[in-house]
Amino acid sequence: MARGQMVLVVVLVGLAVAAAASGGRGGRGKSARLQLLPAAPGSSLAERARDDRRRHAYISSRLAASRRRRAAETSLSAPGAVAASAFAMPLSSGAYTGTGQYFVRFRVGTPAQPFVLIADTGSDLTWVKCRGPPPRVFRPGDSKTWSPIPCSSEMCKSSVPFSLANCSSTTAACSYDYRYNDNSAASGVVGTDSATVALSGGRSDRKAKLKGVVLGCTTAYDGQGFEASDGVLSLGYSNISFASRAASRFGGRFSYCLVDHLAPRNATSYLTFGPGPDSASSSASQTPLLLDGRVRPFYAVTVDSISVDGEALDIPSEVWNVGSEGGTIIDSGTSLTVLAAPAYKAVVAALTKQLAGLPRVTLDPFDYCYNWTTRSGDLAVPKLAVHFAGSARLEPPAKSYVIDAAPGVKCIGVQEGAWPGVSVIGNILQQEHQWEFDLTNRWLRFRQTRCTQ
């Protein structure tokens, strides 16, 4: 898997979340969090842009396959009763490790073993490395709660993508061989185990166990993107993903806040399942979340228009229509935003018109870069806004779309995608916003914030 790219892998589901807090009752009103870690400036934006193009091709091919399978698929049922508790995990940028992804700290096994996984809203399989140099390798034999899933089981046959159909025996473990379009791969066996999380609120030492987490134990992998992490945490919408199963037990929702991808190494935010710290904020905008077979496991939204300095751009409506092979997804695994060709051309035309006074610079693979040191006075970057259905409006800071690409050089950080084809709002455009995915009520809520707590 290419550097900075976090293509998808699959997690079986059976996530029975048992919030048994150690050292006391796993009480109501408690919450727990997973810390998000950012991805760092170690890789150039040019490398990330190339990786994003590969990922976009992967997304397009997967969505095409989803459309073909749609008639045979069963819709994911609505989550069960709302739980009163929540948990959260530390999340941070991976930039200082040379990737364009965000990393989450994840503890699995009994006793718990710590790992750093890529947080990916386009993945439906959670997996960790089971081979390589210690200590960041999962040893299933050392976990008292690890249980292989038999390859003869219905779960293996119908729920594990890229599972290997041939069973050497009825008790052999379920195997997978996941191949990506950039020639990277991951293979291993699938089982279930327990994840340990810290409850949010109250005492900082309260823990909870999530039992029966479906986990891929990857014994062979290939691709630079996997070098900086220990695996993938699946945040996609699927009946086998970690996000769908965990959210169904914790209020039917999850949220994350992405710090600036070039923030200091220790800048940390959180991936939260259940009510987040700002879940009741009146300042949040919301738009319907599209959760159906045409886009699964991705999260789609309806874009009404894009404006620059308050002027709506002339973009055909079918570009934003999932039914016309267009549409827009929110993807934490893509760095730069990718717009279908008609939208891309309209956006860059509006932005470049107001940046025309600056000298152009060639910086592969970007199309529009400028020598920013030659600007006279305070050059105002045109104001970009994405208008979603329901009157929700995303107004990212200028640094999220006219980005620092090299010393003294800024580039329009948007890439051109194929048309027909899906548009992708990447993690740089999402940064410094809180995003809540309400899977029960099918809403996406967001609000601007610095993310650090």
Side-chain angles (χ1 to χ4, degrees):
M1 176 165 168
R3 180 197 306 252
Q5 178 163 357
M6 107 114 292
V7 225
L8 327 169
V9 233
V10 255
V11 184
L12 283 99
V13 267
L15 178 65
V17 179
S22 62
R25 295 181 184 175
R28 291 185 173 274
K30 304 299 179 188
S31 51
R33 19 163 106 176
L34 306 177
Q35 193 172 358
L36 291 174
L37 318 170
S43 66
S44 70
L45 282 168
E47 290 173 315
R48 296 190 206 177
R50 282 188 285 268
D51 291 339
D52 287 340
R53 288 176 180 174
R54 295 190 190 99
R55 180 175 175 87
H56 187 260
Y58 178 88
I59 289 171
S60 298
S61 64
R62 179 145 190 189
L63 289 178
S66 293
R67 292 187 183 101
R68 292 192 294 268
R69 293 194 307 267
R70 189 181 176 202
E73 288 184 342
T74 302
S75 297
L76 186 70
S77 59
V82 173
S85 58
F87 71 92
M89 309 161 82
L91 179 71
S92 65
S93 169
Y96 292 96
T97 64
T99 80
Q101 310 308 321
Y102 283 76
F103 294 153
V104 64
R105 296 171 188 162
F106 186 71
R107 297 173 64 84
V108 68
T110 306
Q113 303 173 46
F115 300 100
V116 174
L117 306 183
I118 297 170
D120 186 17
T121 55
S123 285
D124 47 9
L125 171 68
T126 294
W127 62 266
V128 293
K129 295 176 183 176
C130 285
R131 179 170 296 174
R136 284 169 44 176
V137 175
F138 180 60
R139 308 292 186 190
D142 294 340
S143 174
K144 299 175 183 177
T145 45
W146 167 260
S147 178
I149 294 173
C151 76
S152 58
S153 67
E154 189 59 32
M155 177 176 284
C156 182
K157 294 175 183 177
S158 61
S159 298
V160 183
F162 297 95
S163 63
L164 301 180
N166 54 326
C167 294
S168 56
S169 71
T170 56
T171 58
C174 180
S175 300
Y176 60 90
D177 187 0
Y178 207 107
R179 298 285 167 169
Y180 304 94
N181 70 320
D182 63 348
N183 297 320
S184 62
S187 59
V189 297
V190 179
T192 61
D193 211 323
S194 295
T196 301
V197 298
L199 293 172
S200 302
R203 285 171 25 200
S204 60
D205 62 343
R206 296 180 70 82
K207 306 292 183 183
K209 284 271 192 184
L210 308 182
K211 298 179 180 178
V213 174
V214 176
L215 187 70
C217 175
T218 292
T219 52
Y221 60 91
D222 183 31
Q224 290 183 332
F226 295 146
E227 296 300 328
S229 69
D230 303 322
V232 174
L233 183 71
S234 60
L235 300 181
Y237 184 72
S238 161
N239 60 352
I240 63 168
S241 76
F242 181 88
S244 295
R245 294 298 167 168
S248 71
R249 299 298 187 267
F250 290 91
R253 53 186 165 166
F254 73 94
S255 62
Y256 60 71
C257 200
L258 305 181
V259 297
D260 186 327
H261 70 293
L262 299 180
R265 184 188 297 263
N266 61 350
T268 299
S269 55
Y270 290 91
L271 165 65
T272 303
F273 290 86
D278 302 314
S279 59
S281 173
S282 59
S283 65
S285 298
Q286 70 175 22
T287 188
L289 197 56
L290 306 182
L291 303 174
D292 60 42
R294 291 175 294 183
V295 296
R296 193 179 301 164
F298 303 98
Y299 299 98
V301 290
T302 297
V303 173
D304 284 341
S305 64
I306 294 179
S307 66
V308 172
D309 280 347
E311 182 177 346
L313 304 181
D314 184 14
I315 301 172
S317 59
E318 54 264 31
V319 168
W320 311 124
N321 188 346
V322 171
S324 299
E325 297 188 38
T328 306
I329 64 172
I330 306 290
D331 184 31
S332 67
T334 299
S335 292
L336 300 175
T337 291
V338 181
L339 297 177
Y344 172 82
K345 288 179 170 60
V347 168
V348 297
L351 293 178
T352 56
K353 181 179 179 180
Q354 300 189 50
L355 298 175
L358 294 174
R360 291 278 296 276
V361 175
T362 300
L363 186 62
D364 183 65
F366 297 98
D367 295 328
Y368 298 93
C369 297
Y370 302 89
N371 182 344
W372 212 254
T373 63
T374 63
R375 72 191 188 283
S376 57
D378 294 327
L379 176 66
V381 174
K383 186 64 180 176
L384 177 75
V386 182
H387 304 260
F388 298 107
S391 301
R393 185 169 64 237
L394 172 64
E395 296 179 302
K399 66 180 180 179
S400 295
Y401 55 93
V402 179
I403 61 179
D404 293 312
V409 175
K410 288 183 182 288
C411 297
I412 295 178
V414 178
Q415 298 203 87
E416 182 175 4
W419 174 249
V422 68
S423 295
V424 181
I425 295 179
N427 61 42
I428 293 180
L429 206 67
Q430 295 177 50
Q431 67 186 3
E432 295 191 340
H433 281 75
Q434 179 86 27
W435 298 87
E436 181 182 75
F437 297 76
D438 185 338
L439 306 185
T440 299
N441 301 302
R442 301 195 170 205
W443 289 103
L444 174 69
R445 300 184 183 91
F446 58 92
R447 60 182 290 271
Q448 192 165 9
T449 174
R450 295 300 297 274
C451 295
T452 54
Q453 299 176 19

